[in-house]
């Protein structure tokens, strides 16, 4: 524990004895986010900043433009500038080992935010949504929408997932494939492109244009003869948008079921008009408040609240985790979940 954290912990213990609540005066928290280009990280960053400041923390919030080296430099600066605790949503899970060894050396605790940071023993806690459940929910949606329990098909399916360096992809894609693979094995689902491994269906940087051009190729190579595409497993909304764009210009068959994740502003109109069947909503306000609780506990020298101590091994052992719950959103419940909850205004998603 570094000197400031130790002083804070001692002060808290003394105040606790006097029955006085602790406060976070003077503690500076580094928050490293991957990019402002993908919508959710802006919300994550804003929510974290607002909620930490409300508790009296100073916040050093940085975005790295999806560039690993920039993120490493930002974290180096946070350490050099005396940030007392780091909250990091990594760009590439495996690229922070060296810089986080410096954090450990300086006794700066690290919370992995949303994405697990791999192969370093410097990570104290992990807070995320249940990533496996996200993938499973997408897979189950496809099974129900095509009524695969009762129909023989065969139905044509294509898949698109995210950045191969993002550990979440293993859970999103893995969770969905655990549901879909038995139907592929049975022959009820067929993948005309033959692209079925994580590496074949990955999208560098979760980039919409990259997903779009891969899909344009798939459509022109395997569907130009009028073959129907029945369903697309898209791991998130930025990649789903690439699929929607590719279909708009290159496909005239019956419109497929498309999954997604995040309920991005750009995707909600597609959910409403049916060009994207569903998305999995992850309320970034909930994740931020969970992480703020973790920060508070660590600063006070207490154990942070966790609800999973089995699933997330980062290569150095299981990292105690808090998993928030994702929710499936369709045209039937988007108003209640996205608007009535105050997450978006009607105007934002027109
Ligand atoms: C997050 C998703 C997000 C994706 C791209 C993943 O690590 O969990 O919510 O869609 O990154 O930003």
């Amino acid at each position: 524990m570094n000197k400031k954290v130790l002083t804070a912990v001692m002060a808290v213990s003394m105040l606790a004895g006097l029955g006085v609540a602790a406060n976070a005066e003077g503690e500076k928290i580094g928050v490293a986010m991957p990019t402002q280009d993908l919508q959710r990280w802006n919300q994550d960053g804003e929510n974290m900043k607002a909620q930490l400041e409300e508790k009296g923390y100073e916040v050093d919030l940085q975005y790295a433009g999806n560039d690993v080296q920039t993120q490493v430099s930002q974290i180096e600066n946070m350490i050099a500038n005396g940030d007392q605790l780091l909250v990091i949503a990594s760009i590439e899970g495996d690229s922070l080992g060296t810089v986080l060894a410096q954090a450990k050396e300086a006794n700066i605790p690290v919370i992995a935010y949303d994405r697990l940071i791999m192969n370093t023993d410097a990570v104290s806690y992990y807070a995320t949504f249940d990533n496996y459940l996200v993938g499973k929910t997408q897979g189950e949606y496809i099974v129900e929408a095509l009524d695969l329990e009762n129909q023989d098909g065969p139905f044509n399916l294509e898949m698109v997932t995210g950045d191969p360096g993002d550990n979440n992809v293993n859970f999103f894609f893995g969770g969905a494939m655990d549901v879909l693979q038995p139907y592929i094995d049975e022959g009820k689902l067929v993948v005309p492109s033959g692209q079925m491994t994580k590496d074949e269906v990955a999208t560098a940087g979760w980039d919409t244009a990259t997903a779009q051009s891969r899909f344009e190729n798939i459509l022109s190579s395997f569907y130009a003869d009028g073959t129907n595409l029945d369903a697309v497993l898209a791991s998130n909304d930025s990649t789903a948008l690439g699929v929607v764009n590719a279909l708009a210009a290159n496909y005239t068959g019956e419109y497929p079921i498309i999954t997604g994740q995040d309920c991005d502003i750009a995707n909600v109109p597609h959910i409403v008009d049916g060009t994207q069947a569903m998305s999995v909503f992850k309320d970034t306000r909930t994740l931020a408040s969970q992480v703020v609780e973790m920060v508070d506990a660590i600063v006070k020298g207490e154990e942070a609240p966790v609800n999973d101590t089995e699933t997330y091994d980062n290569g150095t052992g299981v990292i105690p985790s808090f998993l928030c719950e994702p929710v499936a959103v369709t045209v039937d419940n988007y108003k209640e979940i996205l608007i009535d909850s105050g997450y978006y205004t009607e105007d934002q998603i027109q």
Side-chain angles (χ1 to χ4, degrees):
M1 198 175 293
N2 72 16
K3 235 162 90 198
K4 279 208 173 154
V5 174
L6 189 64
T7 316
V9 170
M10 283 164 56
V12 168
S13 330
M14 284 163 57
L15 291 174
L18 298 171
V20 180
N23 74 50
E25 211 69 37
E27 300 289 341
K28 187 158 60 150
I29 310 297
V31 179
M33 289 283 149
T35 177
Q36 288 192 288
D37 294 345
L38 297 172
Q39 185 202 315
R40 69 159 290 186
W41 306 110
N42 296 280
Q43 278 158 318
D44 289 282
E46 276 163 28
N47 290 331
M48 282 295 300
K49 191 169 179 332
Q51 293 187 27
L52 282 169
E53 284 177 351
E54 207 173 293
K55 291 241 177 204
Y57 291 98
E58 198 185 319
V59 180
D60 182 4
L61 170 63
Q62 304 287 336
Y63 290 92
N66 246 352
D67 181 60
V68 174
Q69 201 39 55
T70 304
Q71 186 165 59
V72 170
S73 310
Q74 289 174 339
I75 296 169
E76 280 169 352
N77 288 335
M78 287 173 178
I79 296 168
N81 293 340
D83 291 7
Q84 279 101 33
L85 188 151
L86 305 179
V87 177
I88 302 170
S90 58
I91 295 165
E92 207 170 67
D94 238 327
S95 301
L96 298 180
T98 309
V99 67
L100 292 191
Q102 293 169 35
K104 194 174 181 200
E105 183 68 26
N107 285 322
I108 301 173
V110 174
I111 298 174
Y113 185 99
D114 193 84
R115 299 169 171 175
L116 187 56
I117 304 169
M118 305 303 288
N119 299 313
T120 160
D121 63 358
V123 179
S124 309
Y125 291 101
Y126 178 38
T128 190
F129 284 84
D130 186 335
N131 296 306
Y132 183 83
L133 186 56
V134 169
K136 188 166 169 262
T137 303
Q138 293 166 338
E140 284 171 352
Y141 185 89
I142 291 176
V143 168
E144 271 171 42
L146 296 178
D147 192 19
L148 290 178
E149 279 303 294
N150 301 308
Q151 305 295 320
D152 289 334
F155 296 100
N156 292 330
L157 169 76
E158 298 292 343
M159 299 168 240
V160 53
T161 193
D163 192 284
D166 179 349
N167 185 57
N168 286 354
V169 165
N170 299 314
F171 290 86
F172 299 151
F173 189 59
M177 286 310 274
D178 281 354
V179 176
L180 297 174
Q181 190 67 51
Y183 297 100
I184 295 175
D185 294 344
E186 228 182 312
K188 287 188 172 185
L189 286 176
V190 173
V191 182
S193 72
Q195 297 174 18
M196 290 166 64
T197 64
K198 185 187 111 178
D199 286 344
E200 284 171 321
V201 305
T203 310
W206 292 94
D207 179 54
T208 298
T210 306
Q212 180 171 342
S213 80
R214 177 173 159 259
F215 243 78
E216 283 165 357
N217 285 335
I218 288 177
L219 291 173
S220 66
S221 306
F222 303 98
Y223 295 87
D225 61 358
T227 302
N228 252 350
L229 175 58
D230 299 297
V232 180
L233 171 74
S235 285
N236 87 331
D237 280 0
S238 60
T239 54
L241 201 57
V243 175
V244 168
N245 293 345
L247 286 166
N250 303 282
Y251 180 78
T252 50
E254 220 172 287
Y255 202 84
I257 292 149
I258 303 173
T259 64
Q261 167 182 200
D262 294 329
C263 292
D264 280 352
I265 287 176
N267 295 66
V268 179
H270 292 295
I271 295 172
V272 176
D273 74 13
T275 43
Q276 179 177 330
M278 64 89 73
S279 188
V280 180
F281 180 54
K282 306 196 300 191
D283 192 327
T284 53
R285 298 169 299 190
T286 312
L287 181 57
S289 65
Q290 202 55 51
V291 174
V292 171
E293 266 192 55
M294 276 186 172
V295 169
D296 248 355
I298 296 169
V299 167
K300 290 176 184 164
E302 296 164 1
E303 300 247 315
V306 295
N307 62 9
D308 184 293
T309 50
E310 282 173 12
T311 311
Y312 288 97
D313 189 327
N314 83 338
T316 65
V318 173
I319 307 298
S321 307
F322 193 98
L323 311 185
C324 305
E325 215 177 309
V327 182
V329 165
T330 65
V331 67
D332 296 327
N333 65 356
Y334 82 96
K335 275 204 172 127
E336 179 196 333
I337 292 179
L338 301 178
I339 296 167
D340 299 351
S341 77
Y343 201 75
Y344 294 138
T345 60
E346 288 268 10
D347 292 354
Q348 275 178 299
I349 56 169
Q350 295 291 304

